[in-house]
């Protein structure tokens, strides 16, 4: 595996965890926590995306990044691209912006 592809895989993994911990921050403010990643995402989708507290676009992007992270971490033959890595970074930025706005709006003193 080339150094470049290895770097893209690391970007995808790190981007996923940026999103995951941002979602966990939102849930923590409601005293909700889960040990498994999929439970965090499922709960967030059910209580924050489906109720339109956050836009459905975030749910779509989160689902895609979850699948890519699964593939990049557990599929020995998974190859990625710069385009996919860039998409992951943009999704992480999108998520952080939305979560930051939500936290400021709802929890800023």
């Amino acid at each position: 595996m080339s150094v470049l592809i290895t770097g893209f895989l690391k970007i995808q993994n790190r981007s996923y965890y940026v999103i995951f911990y941002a979602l966990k921050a939102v849930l923590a403010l409601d005293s909700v926590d889960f040990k498994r990643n999929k439970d965090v995402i499922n709960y967030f989708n059910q209580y924050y995306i489906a109720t339109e507290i956050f836009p459905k676009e975030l749910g779509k992007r989160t689902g895609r990044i979850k699948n890519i992270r699964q593939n990049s971490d557990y599929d020995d033959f998974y190859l990625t691209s710069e385009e996919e890595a860039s998409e992951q970074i943009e999704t992480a930025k999108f998520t952080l912006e939305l979560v930051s706005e939500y936290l400021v709006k709802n929890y800023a003193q």
Side-chain angles (χ1 to χ4, degrees):
M1 186 176 303
S2 79
V3 173
L4 195 58
I5 290 177
T6 301
F8 293 151
L9 291 173
K10 287 180 181 179
I11 287 169
Q12 290 175 334
N13 179 277
R14 302 317 186 275
S15 296
Y16 171 80
Y17 281 103
V18 165
I19 294 164
F20 172 73
Y21 284 111
L23 301 184
K24 278 187 66 103
V26 172
L27 272 56
L29 292 168
D30 289 334
S31 300
V32 174
D33 191 23
F34 298 96
K35 292 183 184 200
R36 296 185 316 176
N37 295 4
K38 72 178 188 173
D39 294 332
V40 169
I41 292 170
N42 289 340
Y43 185 92
F44 187 85
N45 284 338
Q46 182 178 357
Y47 291 98
Y48 293 89
I49 300 295
T51 59
E52 297 185 6
I53 293 171
F54 284 88
K56 295 201 183 296
E57 179 65 24
L58 179 59
K60 291 176 189 174
R61 289 185 184 201
T62 302
R64 178 157 164 68
I65 200 170
K66 181 180 111 180
N67 291 337
I68 290 171
R69 201 263 325 170
Q70 284 283 113
N71 290 335
S72 68
D73 282 1
Y74 300 112
D75 183 347
D76 292 337
F77 301 104
Y78 181 77
L79 296 177
T80 190
S81 66
E82 182 176 358
E83 182 180 325
E84 257 186 359
S86 294
E87 178 185 338
Q88 301 292 75
I89 291 169
E90 290 306 312
T91 298
K93 288 179 185 177
F94 179 71
T95 304
L96 286 177
E97 288 171 8
L98 291 173
V99 167
S100 294
E101 290 172 10
Y102 174 80
L103 295 177
V104 167
K105 178 180 174 186
N106 294 289
Y107 296 97
Q109 300 278 338

